[in-house]
């Protein structure tokens, strides 16, 4: 299983804030692709503690797997 499929992703936003989530890079990317025609592409991820969080995909600069 490659890093894009590993459960644990790091999202970096356009203001340089960072969030570690219990989602895969591939799952987040796929959800963004499905939402990008909407005016406000909100996607749901699980944060590092497992809580559901809705974020605006327009503010994501990068998504990558993170190491523990």
């Amino acid at each position: 299983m490659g890093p894009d499929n590993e459960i644990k992703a790091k999202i970096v936003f356009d203001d340089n804030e960072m969030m570690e989530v219990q989602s895969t890079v591939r799952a987040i990317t796929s959800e963004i692709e499905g939402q990008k025609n909407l005016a406000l592409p909100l996607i749901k991820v699980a944060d590092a503690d497992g809580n559901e969080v809705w974020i605006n995909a327009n503010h994501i600069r990068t998504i990558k797997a993170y190491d523990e």
Side-chain angles (χ1 to χ4, degrees):
M1 182 159 65
D4 286 355
N5 289 318
E6 291 180 15
I7 297 176
K8 290 199 176 177
K10 181 188 296 180
I11 300 172
V12 179
F13 297 94
D14 55 12
D15 62 358
N16 289 324
E17 288 292 316
M18 186 195 74
M19 173 187 275
E20 292 180 353
V21 297
Q22 295 179 3
S23 301
T24 65
V25 172
R26 185 164 300 214
I28 295 169
T29 303
S30 176
E31 192 166 348
I32 291 170
E33 286 295 314
Q35 298 287 328
K36 70 179 176 182
N37 291 331
L38 301 177
L40 186 61
L42 293 176
I43 62 168
K44 180 173 63 175
V45 297
D47 69 13
D49 296 322
N51 302 309
E52 288 185 354
V53 179
W54 289 90
I55 59 175
N56 182 341
N58 286 332
H59 296 295
I60 295 175
R61 187 174 65 195
T62 61
I63 311 163
K64 57 186 174 182
Y66 74 87
D67 300 321
E68 292 189 70

